[in-house]
Amino acid sequence: MSGTPLAQPRIRIPRQARAGDVIEIRTLIEHPMESGIRGRVPDAVPRDMLARMTVRMNGGTVFAADLGNGTAANPYHVLFLRIERTSEFEFTWFDERGRTARATARVTVA
């Protein structure tokens, strides 16, 4: 692991839902997503990329994305999930240097 830790991600997810609802989840993490291919040698900007994002609900993976050179800085993702019961969510971002960022959330189904 090297360098500055990853930024704390921001998650927007409803706190409550009804069984069968489709909920909208929004995520944002501040990250430069620097490909390392811009600039002139020897002053080229070093590569600094997120490699993967995963979303787990109640321990099972419900979304996973491999991120690459085409991913914009400060990646923003929106996903929709049907929820049937109160659920615990874990969001994780991994970068190519071995750093991770995590966030958790809970949606209560009434």
Coordinates of all heavy atoms in Angstrom, one line a residue, residues 45-95:
V45 N 2.7 12.3 -15.5 CA 1.9 12.2 -14.3 C 1.8 10.7 -14.0 O 1.4 9.9 -14.9 CB 0.4 12.8 -14.6 CG1 -0.4 12.6 -13.4 CG2 0.6 14.3 -15.0
P46 N 2.1 10.3 -12.8 CA 2.1 8.9 -12.5 C 0.6 8.3 -12.5 O -0.3 9.0 -12.2 CB 2.6 8.8 -11.1 CG 2.7 10.2 -10.5 CD 2.5 11.1 -11.7
R47 N 0.5 7.0 -12.9 CA -0.7 6.3 -13.0 C -1.3 6.2 -11.6 O -0.6 5.9 -10.6 CB -0.5 4.9 -13.5 CG -1.8 4.2 -13.8 CD -1.5 2.9 -14.5 NE -2.6 2.0 -14.6 CZ -3.4 2.0 -15.7 NH1 -3.2 2.8 -16.7 NH2 -4.5 1.2 -15.7
D48 N -2.6 6.5 -11.5 CA -3.4 6.4 -10.2 C -4.8 6.1 -10.5 O -5.6 7.0 -10.8 CB -3.2 7.6 -9.4 CG -3.8 7.5 -8.0 OD1 -4.2 6.4 -7.6 OD2 -3.9 8.6 -7.3
M49 N -5.2 4.8 -10.6 CA -6.5 4.4 -11.1 C -7.2 3.5 -10.0 O -6.6 2.6 -9.4 CB -6.3 3.6 -12.4 CG -5.7 4.3 -13.5 SD -6.8 5.5 -14.3 CE -8.0 4.4 -15.0
L50 N -8.5 3.7 -9.9 CA -9.3 2.7 -9.3 C -9.5 1.5 -10.2 O -9.6 1.7 -11.4 CB -10.7 3.3 -9.0 CG -10.8 4.3 -7.9 CD1 -12.2 4.9 -7.9 CD2 -10.5 3.8 -6.5
A51 N -9.5 0.3 -9.6 CA -9.5 -0.9 -10.5 C -10.9 -1.6 -10.4 O -11.3 -2.2 -11.4 CB -8.4 -1.9 -10.0
R52 N -11.6 -1.5 -9.3 CA -12.8 -2.2 -9.1 C -13.7 -1.6 -8.1 O -13.2 -1.0 -7.1 CB -12.5 -3.6 -8.7 CG -13.7 -4.6 -8.7 CD -13.2 -6.0 -8.7 NE -14.2 -7.0 -8.6 CZ -15.0 -7.4 -9.6 NH1 -14.7 -6.9 -10.8 NH2 -15.9 -8.3 -9.4
M53 N -15.0 -1.7 -8.3 CA -16.0 -1.3 -7.3 C -17.0 -2.5 -7.1 O -17.4 -3.1 -8.1 CB -16.8 -0.1 -7.8 CG -18.0 0.3 -7.0 SD -19.0 1.4 -7.8 CE -20.4 1.5 -6.7
T54 N -17.3 -2.8 -5.9 CA -18.3 -3.8 -5.6 C -19.4 -3.3 -4.6 O -19.1 -2.5 -3.8 CB -17.7 -5.1 -5.0 OG1 -17.1 -4.8 -3.8 CG2 -16.6 -5.7 -5.9
V55 N -20.6 -3.9 -4.8 CA -21.7 -3.6 -3.9 C -22.2 -4.9 -3.4 O -22.5 -5.8 -4.2 CB -22.8 -2.8 -4.6 CG1 -23.9 -2.5 -3.6 CG2 -22.3 -1.5 -5.1
R56 N -22.2 -5.1 -2.1 CA -22.7 -6.3 -1.5 C -24.0 -6.0 -0.7 O -24.0 -5.0 0.0 CB -21.7 -7.0 -0.6 CG -20.5 -7.4 -1.4 CD -19.3 -8.0 -0.6 NE -19.7 -9.1 0.2 CZ -19.6 -10.4 -0.2 NH1 -19.2 -10.7 -1.4 NH2 -20.0 -11.3 0.6
M57 N -25.0 -6.9 -0.8 CA -26.2 -6.7 -0.1 C -26.4 -8.0 0.7 O -26.4 -9.1 0.2 CB -27.4 -6.5 -1.0 CG -28.7 -6.4 -0.3 SD -30.1 -5.9 -1.4 CE -30.5 -7.5 -2.1
N58 N -26.4 -7.9 2.1 CA -26.6 -9.0 3.0 C -25.5 -10.1 2.7 O -25.8 -11.3 2.7 CB -28.0 -9.6 2.9 CG -29.0 -8.6 3.3 OD1 -28.8 -7.8 4.2 ND2 -30.1 -8.6 2.6
G59 N -24.3 -9.7 2.3 CA -23.2 -10.6 2.1 C -23.0 -11.1 0.7 O -22.0 -11.7 0.4
G60 N -24.0 -10.9 -0.2 CA -23.9 -11.4 -1.6 C -23.6 -10.2 -2.5 O -24.2 -9.1 -2.3
T61 N -22.8 -10.4 -3.5 CA -22.5 -9.4 -4.5 C -23.7 -9.1 -5.4 O -24.2 -10.1 -6.0 CB -21.3 -9.8 -5.3 OG1 -20.2 -10.0 -4.4 CG2 -20.9 -8.7 -6.3
V62 N -24.1 -7.9 -5.4 CA -25.2 -7.5 -6.3 C -24.8 -6.6 -7.5 O -25.5 -6.4 -8.4 CB -26.4 -6.8 -5.5 CG1 -27.1 -7.8 -4.6 CG2 -25.9 -5.6 -4.8
F63 N -23.6 -6.1 -7.4 CA -23.0 -5.3 -8.4 C -21.5 -5.3 -8.3 O -20.9 -5.2 -7.2 CB -23.5 -3.8 -8.3 CG -22.9 -2.9 -9.3 CD1 -23.5 -2.8 -10.6 CD2 -21.9 -2.0 -9.0 CE1 -22.9 -1.9 -11.6 CE2 -21.3 -1.2 -10.0 CZ -21.9 -1.1 -11.2
A64 N -20.8 -5.4 -9.5 CA -19.4 -5.3 -9.5 C -19.0 -4.7 -10.8 O -19.6 -5.1 -11.9 CB -18.7 -6.7 -9.3
A65 N -18.0 -3.8 -10.8 CA -17.5 -3.2 -12.0 C -16.0 -3.1 -12.0 O -15.4 -2.7 -11.0 CB -18.1 -1.8 -12.2
D66 N -15.4 -3.5 -13.1 CA -14.0 -3.3 -13.3 C -13.8 -1.9 -14.0 O -14.4 -1.7 -15.0 CB -13.4 -4.4 -14.2 CG -13.4 -5.7 -13.5 OD1 -13.1 -5.8 -12.3 OD2 -13.6 -6.8 -14.2
L67 N -13.0 -1.1 -13.4 CA -12.8 0.3 -13.9 C -11.5 0.4 -14.6 O -10.6 -0.3 -14.3 CB -12.9 1.3 -12.7 CG -14.1 1.1 -11.7 CD1 -13.9 2.0 -10.5 CD2 -15.4 1.4 -12.5
G68 N -11.4 1.2 -15.6 CA -10.2 1.3 -16.4 C -10.0 2.7 -16.9 O -10.6 3.7 -16.4
N69 N -9.2 2.8 -18.0 CA -8.8 4.1 -18.5 C -9.9 5.0 -18.9 O -9.8 6.2 -19.0 CB -7.8 3.9 -19.7 CG -6.4 3.5 -19.3 OD1 -6.1 3.5 -18.1 ND2 -5.6 3.1 -20.2
G70 N -11.1 4.4 -19.3 CA -12.2 5.2 -19.8 C -13.1 5.7 -18.7 O -14.1 6.4 -18.9
T71 N -12.7 5.4 -17.4 CA -13.5 5.9 -16.3 C -13.1 7.3 -15.9 O -12.0 7.6 -15.8 CB -13.3 5.0 -15.1 OG1 -13.6 3.6 -15.5 CG2 -14.2 5.4 -13.9
A72 N -14.2 8.2 -15.8 CA -13.9 9.6 -15.5 C -13.4 9.8 -14.1 O -13.6 8.9 -13.2 CB -15.2 10.4 -15.6
A73 N -12.7 10.9 -13.9 CA -12.3 11.3 -12.5 C -13.6 11.4 -11.6 O -14.6 11.7 -12.1 CB -11.6 12.6 -12.5
N74 N -13.4 11.1 -10.3 CA -14.5 11.1 -9.4 C -15.7 10.3 -9.8 O -16.8 10.8 -10.1 CB -14.9 12.6 -9.1 CG -13.8 13.4 -8.7 OD1 -12.9 13.0 -8.0 ND2 -13.7 14.6 -9.2
P75 N -15.5 9.0 -10.0 CA -16.5 8.1 -10.5 C -17.9 8.2 -9.8 O -17.9 8.1 -8.5 CB -16.0 6.7 -10.5 CG -14.5 6.9 -10.4 CD -14.3 8.2 -9.7
Y76 N -18.9 8.3 -10.5 CA -20.3 8.4 -10.0 C -21.1 7.3 -10.6 O -21.1 7.1 -11.8 CB -20.9 9.8 -10.4 CG -22.3 10.0 -10.1 CD1 -22.8 10.2 -8.8 CD2 -23.3 10.0 -11.1 CE1 -24.1 10.4 -8.5 CE2 -24.6 10.3 -10.9 CZ -25.0 10.4 -9.6 OH -26.3 10.7 -9.3
H77 N -21.7 6.5 -9.8 CA -22.5 5.4 -10.3 C -23.9 5.4 -9.7 O -24.1 5.8 -8.5 CB -21.9 4.0 -9.9 CG -20.6 3.8 -10.5 ND1 -19.4 4.1 -10.0 CD2 -20.3 3.2 -11.7 CE1 -18.4 3.8 -10.8 NE2 -18.9 3.2 -11.9
V78 N -24.9 5.1 -10.5 CA -26.3 4.9 -10.1 C -26.7 3.5 -10.4 O -26.5 3.1 -11.5 CB -27.2 6.0 -10.8 CG1 -28.6 5.8 -10.3 CG2 -26.7 7.4 -10.5
L79 N -27.3 2.9 -9.4 CA -27.9 1.5 -9.7 C -29.2 1.4 -9.0 O -29.5 2.1 -8.1 CB -26.9 0.4 -9.3 CG -26.4 0.4 -7.9 CD1 -26.5 -1.0 -7.4 CD2 -25.0 0.9 -7.9
F80 N -30.0 0.5 -9.5 CA -31.4 0.2 -9.0 C -31.4 -1.2 -8.6 O -31.0 -2.1 -9.3 CB -32.4 0.5 -10.1 CG -32.4 2.0 -10.5 CD1 -31.6 2.4 -11.5 CD2 -33.2 2.9 -9.9 CE1 -31.6 3.7 -11.9 CE2 -33.2 4.2 -10.3 CZ -32.4 4.6 -11.3
L81 N -32.0 -1.5 -7.4 CA -32.1 -2.8 -6.9 C -33.5 -3.0 -6.3 O -34.0 -2.1 -5.6 CB -31.1 -3.1 -5.8 CG -29.6 -3.2 -6.1 CD1 -28.8 -3.2 -4.9 CD2 -29.4 -4.3 -7.0
R82 N -34.1 -4.2 -6.5 CA -35.3 -4.6 -5.8 C -35.0 -5.1 -4.4 O -34.0 -5.9 -4.3 CB -36.1 -5.6 -6.6 CG -37.4 -6.0 -6.0 CD -38.2 -6.9 -6.9 NE -38.3 -6.5 -8.3 CZ -39.1 -5.5 -8.8 NH1 -39.9 -4.8 -8.0 NH2 -39.1 -5.2 -10.0
I83 N -35.7 -4.6 -3.5 CA -35.4 -5.0 -2.1 C -36.6 -5.7 -1.5 O -37.7 -5.2 -1.6 CB -34.9 -3.8 -1.3 CG1 -34.4 -4.2 0.1 CG2 -36.0 -2.7 -1.1 CD1 -33.6 -3.1 0.8
E84 N -36.4 -6.8 -0.8 CA -37.5 -7.6 -0.3 C -37.5 -7.6 1.3 O -38.6 -7.8 1.9 CB -37.5 -9.0 -0.8 CG -37.6 -9.1 -2.3 CD -39.0 -8.7 -2.8 OE1 -40.0 -8.7 -2.1 OE2 -39.0 -8.4 -4.0
R85 N -36.4 -7.3 1.9 CA -36.3 -7.4 3.3 C -35.2 -6.3 3.8 O -34.4 -5.9 3.0 CB -35.9 -8.8 3.8 CG -34.6 -9.3 3.3 CD -34.3 -10.7 3.7 NE -33.2 -11.3 3.1 CZ -32.0 -11.4 3.7 NH1 -31.8 -11.0 5.0 NH2 -31.0 -11.9 3.1
T86 N -35.2 -6.1 5.1 CA -34.2 -5.2 5.6 C -32.9 -5.7 5.2 O -32.6 -6.9 5.4 CB -34.4 -5.1 7.2 OG1 -35.7 -4.5 7.4 CG2 -33.3 -4.2 7.8
S87 N -32.0 -4.8 4.7 CA -30.7 -5.2 4.2 C -29.6 -4.3 4.6 O -29.7 -3.1 4.7 CB -30.9 -5.2 2.6 OG -31.8 -6.2 2.2
E88 N -28.4 -5.0 4.7 CA -27.2 -4.3 5.0 C -26.4 -4.3 3.7 O -26.3 -5.3 3.0 CB -26.4 -5.1 6.0 CG -27.1 -5.3 7.3 CD -27.2 -4.0 8.1 OE1 -26.3 -3.1 7.9 OE2 -28.1 -3.9 9.0
F89 N -25.9 -3.1 3.3 CA -25.1 -2.9 2.1 C -23.7 -2.5 2.5 O -23.4 -1.8 3.4 CB -25.7 -1.7 1.3 CG -27.0 -2.1 0.7 CD1 -28.2 -1.9 1.4 CD2 -27.1 -2.5 -0.6 CE1 -29.4 -2.2 0.8 CE2 -28.3 -2.8 -1.2 CZ -29.5 -2.7 -0.5
E90 N -22.7 -3.1 1.7 CA -21.3 -2.7 1.8 C -20.8 -2.3 0.4 O -21.0 -3.1 -0.6 CB -20.5 -3.9 2.3 CG -19.0 -3.5 2.5 CD -18.1 -4.6 2.9 OE1 -18.4 -5.8 2.6 OE2 -17.1 -4.3 3.6
F91 N -20.2 -1.2 0.3 CA -19.7 -0.6 -0.9 C -18.2 -0.6 -0.8 O -17.7 -0.1 0.2 CB -20.2 0.8 -1.2 CG -21.7 0.9 -1.2 CD1 -22.4 1.0 0.0 CD2 -22.4 0.8 -2.4 CE1 -23.8 1.1 0.0 CE2 -23.8 0.9 -2.4 CZ -24.5 1.1 -1.2
T92 N -17.4 -1.1 -1.8 CA -16.0 -1.2 -1.7 C -15.4 -0.8 -3.0 O -15.8 -1.2 -4.1 CB -15.5 -2.6 -1.3 OG1 -16.2 -3.0 -0.1 CG2 -14.0 -2.5 -1.0
W93 N -14.4 0.1 -2.9 CA -13.6 0.5 -4.1 C -12.1 0.0 -3.8 O -11.6 0.2 -2.7 CB -13.6 2.0 -4.3 CG -14.9 2.6 -4.7 CD1 -15.2 3.0 -6.0 CD2 -16.0 2.9 -3.9 NE1 -16.5 3.4 -6.0 CE2 -17.0 3.4 -4.8 CE3 -16.3 2.7 -2.6 CZ2 -18.2 3.8 -4.3 CZ3 -17.6 3.1 -2.1 CH2 -18.5 3.6 -3.0
F94 N -11.5 -0.5 -4.9 CA -10.1 -1.0 -4.8 C -9.3 -0.3 -5.9 O -9.8 -0.1 -7.0 CB -10.1 -2.5 -5.1 CG -11.0 -3.4 -4.3 CD1 -12.3 -3.6 -4.7 CD2 -10.5 -3.9 -3.2 CE1 -13.1 -4.4 -3.9 CE2 -11.4 -4.7 -2.4 CZ -12.7 -5.0 -2.8
D95 N -8.1 0.2 -5.5 CA -7.3 0.8 -6.5 C -6.1 -0.1 -6.9 O -5.9 -1.1 -6.2 CB -6.9 2.2 -6.1 CG -5.7 2.3 -5.2 OD1 -5.2 1.3 -4.7 OD2 -5.2 3.5 -5.0

